[in-house]
Amino acid sequence: MTQTPTPISAATGVLLVAPLSGSILPIEQVPDPVFAEKMVGDGISIDPVSQVLVAPCDGEIVQMHPSQHAVTLQTAEGIEILMHIGLDTVTLRGKGFTPKVVVGDRVKLGDPLIEFDADYVALHAVSLLTQIVIVNSDQVARFVPKAGQVLAGQDLVLELLLSKAGTTDTSAISSLPVVTSNAIPVPNPVGLHARPAAVLANLAKQYQADVRLKKEDKSVNAKSVTALMGLQVGFKDVVSLVAQGPDAEAAITALSEAIANGLGEEGATPMVSTAEPKPVPQPVTRPRSDDPNTILGVAASPGVAVGYLHQVRQQEIEVAERGGTSDEESRKLEQAIAQAQQEIAALQAKMQAGEDAKQADIFAAHQEILTDPDMQDTTAEAIIRGQSAAYAWKQAYTTQANRLAQLKNDLLAQRANDLRDVGRRVLRILTGATTEAIAYPDQTILAAEDLTPSDMATLDRSKVVGFCTIAGGATSHVAILARSMDIPAIAGGEERLLEVANGTPVVLDGTRGQLRLNPSADEMERTRQRQARIAERRQADLAAKDQPAITTDGHRMEVVANIGSLADAEKSVALGGEGVGLLRTEFVFMERAMAPSEEEQADIYSSIARALGDRPLIIRTLDVGGDKPLPYLPMPHEENPFLGDRGIRLCFSRPDLMRTQFRAILRASSHGNVRIMFPMIARLEELRQAKQVLEEERQALGVAPIEVGIMIEVPSAALMADRLASEVDFFSIGTNDLTQYTLAMDRGHPKLAAQIDALDPAVLRLVDLTVKGATQHGKWVGICGGMGSDPQAVPILVGLGIQELSVSIPTIPSIKAQVRGLGLAECQALAAQALAADTAVTVRQLVPLPEE
Ligand code: PEP
Ligand code: MG
């Protein structure tokens, strides 16, 4: 026990009893600088063995973090004690924690505050170490921490001798001008939780000025960690700073910059400050047609349809702000969510019974949204404040959906529609609003602002033959569903679509993203004929799916699949796939709280290998980083993530992940024809290093060598292909990234989408160089980027000497059939012309789309 010079008593200070049983750790030894460097405040840490955090003294609850992993208690003397269970537990978003108190509760020493599931938290967070810190440490003259084992509610852990409260003379400050910052969007993925709040408070304390952080109409003292946390600033919330004092200007400049840069938190990507957010952002460049009878949009699902337009308008569900008691409203919400769960489960089952399991996955994601802790917290808090369940829920989901819709990441922005879909379902149940079942006439083509996955799941396929929406894009769940249901569709259409009268005859071309209004009888007839031809050709391609892709002059092209799961592997084989040219293993790592174990990975890879029999399986090692984050892999902010720590580079900095995966792949190799492929190789040294690690693991496991290939997706690799080829067994060209890096155009940039074309002669020249480099050493080259599935690229790739096309699963039969109709000599002549062309447009003109 630590000896104290003058004993501290309850009369001179505050005595804190252990809030948890366990062993005390000095705060300086906590493996998190925010606590170890006392940025939040001085205190102790406990390595707990109990699972209920209890009050260390009498006081009032002044703050409960929305993620329920941290609580602040204020004593009668004004001392604020923050108890923070675990490290990085904010990312668990409340899972594993059950609060026993709410803000405003008065508690006695030993009263339970938060119960937690230690097993869950230990497994899913960095550490269970629980910090007990005094956030207003300036009011404490001396800290006397204890040591050793303690029992919750019984043993002392910390004695605090209070300083004599000093009063700050604020009169001088209040006469100085007030300085205000610009709006700052908060980039921290989980908002201003304890860590960034502590950093901000410490920075603010360096200034004499009075500094306040403002969110909407609330503002708090920026020098108080608790107050900052109490403001509940979430990801992308827009805040501002207000300062008054001699150094106010300097404080505003420094603190604004610090907030905008994520307050030193990993994974917080600075955002460009935006003006007032609009609920649905429009693509920067939407296609526009000058012809009043043509509406342009994004090709969301291929095929053509002829029919009559029918407008679908979603009715606003009105809700009253006030309802019954908060208990009654909470119960209503619980029941509505339970009913929504059942409804979605029924849709899921319906989809599972269909052909494509991916459709069912979309509804599995809807179940997740339903139980999203953030949305539930926000709703629960609003109900406690007196709002009705319906009003609170509507506010919560619309705010979240609008926030998602703002995101730069197109894929995430598209998920706003899923959120609204789930949100409306619950709202409908809560308000008893009915959805009228519309009896559509034959050959209906729907026009809508937006459709939801639920609309899609309940669509009467015998009547609805296509649809066109204003919102969405090719990556929306609605577009994915349309493709798998084989319904031609256009997304991102021109606004005037909504003004077209019901019953207007239309021709919808989902392949070209074009809707023709009032076509002539002749045009409709021609389209019907085209439809019949497409259907016939698809049938013929499907019937011949198991025939090899051999050109008319005997040159064989291997047609394999790009996959992400066992289900994909099975489907590809069923469609005539001759193996797998790219297993994107990042899908095995995504959407989970921690990395898959060696055992789990070996099981997945082995089962895929077995499903393929003796067909080849190319397993690409983990390709994350850059734009593909993993929740359990902290990635520091990078100015240029596509040029940063991604792909194989990231694996080198996480050898544990890399070696585990290599072992799993090597173990799976005894179950089939397994090859390994490294992504993002830019330099020979990287290939050598990766091979060395692989060889070490192989020898340790004592298994036979496997073939090693690399992705050619960085221009330097294509330029060095002749050197790289002598050290690999094969190349596979990732044209998605190769095009991005060659043309210096972000592959997901909506504004550049029309210009970033893999058929650009610059990219084709790099493909040519790669093949020539490989040929010098007798190695083969495949294509696994999107270019391989592009029918206009196929003849050029045959001509350039590509030997394997790894394509998207549904295109396997048609690509095989296309190759069977080509002659190598003509393709070689075409490739030579393409290499000599000036632009991608010229290249495309050389190869008309296959006749439909
Ligand atoms: C590519 O870059 O072309 C590729 C196939 O890899 P990914 O799309 O997974 O980056
Ligand atoms: Mg790539």
Side-chain angles (χ1 to χ4, degrees), residues 620 623 628 646 680 711 713 734 736-737 747:
R620 178 176 78 182
D623 183 19
K628 293 188 236 174
R646 64 168 294 204
M680 289 294 300
M711 302 269 303
E713 51 185 347
N736 308 334
D737 275 315
R747 60 193 261 187

Short mmCIF file of all heavy atoms in Angstrom, two decimals, residues 620 623 628 646 680 711 713 734 736-737 747, ligand 2:
data_model
loop_
_atom_site.label_atom_id
_atom_site.label_comp_id
_atom_site.label_asym_id
_atom_site.label_seq_id
_atom_site.Cartn_x
_atom_site.Cartn_y
_atom_site.Cartn_z
N ARG A 620 -6.24 -14.92 -54.29
CA ARG A 620 -5.49 -13.68 -54.14
C ARG A 620 -5.40 -13.33 -52.65
O ARG A 620 -6.41 -13.36 -51.96
CB ARG A 620 -6.18 -12.53 -54.87
CG ARG A 620 -5.43 -11.23 -54.67
CD ARG A 620 -6.04 -10.11 -55.45
NE ARG A 620 -7.23 -9.59 -54.83
CZ ARG A 620 -7.97 -8.61 -55.35
NH1 ARG A 620 -7.61 -8.07 -56.51
NH2 ARG A 620 -9.04 -8.17 -54.75
N ASP A 623 -6.25 -8.05 -50.04
CA ASP A 623 -6.04 -6.78 -50.75
C ASP A 623 -6.92 -5.72 -50.11
O ASP A 623 -7.95 -5.34 -50.64
CB ASP A 623 -6.40 -6.96 -52.23
CG ASP A 623 -6.14 -5.69 -53.04
OD1 ASP A 623 -5.37 -4.83 -52.58
OD2 ASP A 623 -6.71 -5.56 -54.14
N LYS A 628 -10.39 0.23 -49.05
CA LYS A 628 -11.08 -0.93 -48.49
C LYS A 628 -10.64 -1.14 -47.05
O LYS A 628 -9.67 -1.86 -46.79
CB LYS A 628 -10.73 -2.19 -49.31
CG LYS A 628 -11.25 -2.19 -50.72
CD LYS A 628 -11.03 -3.55 -51.37
CE LYS A 628 -10.25 -3.44 -52.65
NZ LYS A 628 -9.89 -4.68 -53.28
N ARG A 646 -1.65 -0.23 -48.98
CA ARG A 646 -2.72 -1.14 -49.38
C ARG A 646 -2.12 -2.39 -50.01
O ARG A 646 -0.93 -2.44 -50.35
CB ARG A 646 -3.70 -0.45 -50.33
CG ARG A 646 -3.13 -0.04 -51.66
CD ARG A 646 -4.22 0.36 -52.65
NE ARG A 646 -5.06 -0.77 -53.02
CZ ARG A 646 -5.77 -0.83 -54.16
NH1 ARG A 646 -5.75 0.16 -55.01
NH2 ARG A 646 -6.50 -1.89 -54.45
N MET A 680 -1.20 -5.94 -56.04
CA MET A 680 -0.56 -4.63 -55.93
C MET A 680 0.96 -4.69 -55.91
O MET A 680 1.61 -3.86 -55.29
CB MET A 680 -1.02 -3.91 -54.64
CG MET A 680 -2.44 -3.44 -54.66
SD MET A 680 -2.71 -2.15 -55.88
CE MET A 680 -1.61 -0.91 -55.32
N MET A 711 -0.64 -10.07 -59.46
CA MET A 711 -1.53 -9.19 -60.21
C MET A 711 -0.64 -8.16 -60.89
O MET A 711 0.29 -7.63 -60.28
CB MET A 711 -2.45 -8.42 -59.27
CG MET A 711 -3.31 -9.24 -58.37
SD MET A 711 -4.91 -9.62 -59.06
CE MET A 711 -5.62 -8.04 -59.43
N GLU A 713 -1.25 -4.74 -61.86
CA GLU A 713 -2.27 -3.70 -61.74
C GLU A 713 -1.67 -2.34 -61.42
O GLU A 713 -2.38 -1.38 -61.15
CB GLU A 713 -3.34 -4.09 -60.72
CG GLU A 713 -2.83 -4.54 -59.38
CD GLU A 713 -3.95 -5.03 -58.44
OE1 GLU A 713 -5.12 -4.81 -58.73
OE2 GLU A 713 -3.59 -5.63 -57.42
N GLY A 734 -4.94 -6.93 -63.44
CA GLY A 734 -6.07 -6.29 -62.76
C GLY A 734 -6.34 -4.98 -63.48
O GLY A 734 -5.78 -3.93 -63.13
N ASN A 736 -8.83 -3.04 -63.52
CA ASN A 736 -9.52 -1.96 -62.79
C ASN A 736 -8.49 -1.00 -62.21
O ASN A 736 -8.57 0.22 -62.39
CB ASN A 736 -10.40 -2.52 -61.67
CG ASN A 736 -11.34 -3.60 -62.14
OD1 ASN A 736 -11.68 -3.63 -63.31
ND2 ASN A 736 -11.73 -4.49 -61.26
N ASP A 737 -7.53 -1.57 -61.49
CA ASP A 737 -6.51 -0.71 -60.90
C ASP A 737 -5.50 -0.24 -61.94
O ASP A 737 -5.04 0.89 -61.89
CB ASP A 737 -5.78 -1.44 -59.76
CG ASP A 737 -6.55 -1.31 -58.45
OD1 ASP A 737 -6.99 -0.18 -58.15
OD2 ASP A 737 -6.73 -2.31 -57.76
N ARG A 747 -10.90 5.15 -59.69
CA ARG A 747 -11.83 4.22 -60.34
C ARG A 747 -13.26 4.38 -59.85
O ARG A 747 -14.19 3.89 -60.48
CB ARG A 747 -11.35 2.77 -60.18
CG ARG A 747 -11.25 2.33 -58.75
CD ARG A 747 -10.48 1.03 -58.62
NE ARG A 747 -11.35 -0.13 -58.50
CZ ARG A 747 -10.92 -1.36 -58.25
NH1 ARG A 747 -9.61 -1.60 -58.13
NH2 ARG A 747 -11.74 -2.36 -58.14
MG MG B 2 -7.03 -4.34 -57.93
#
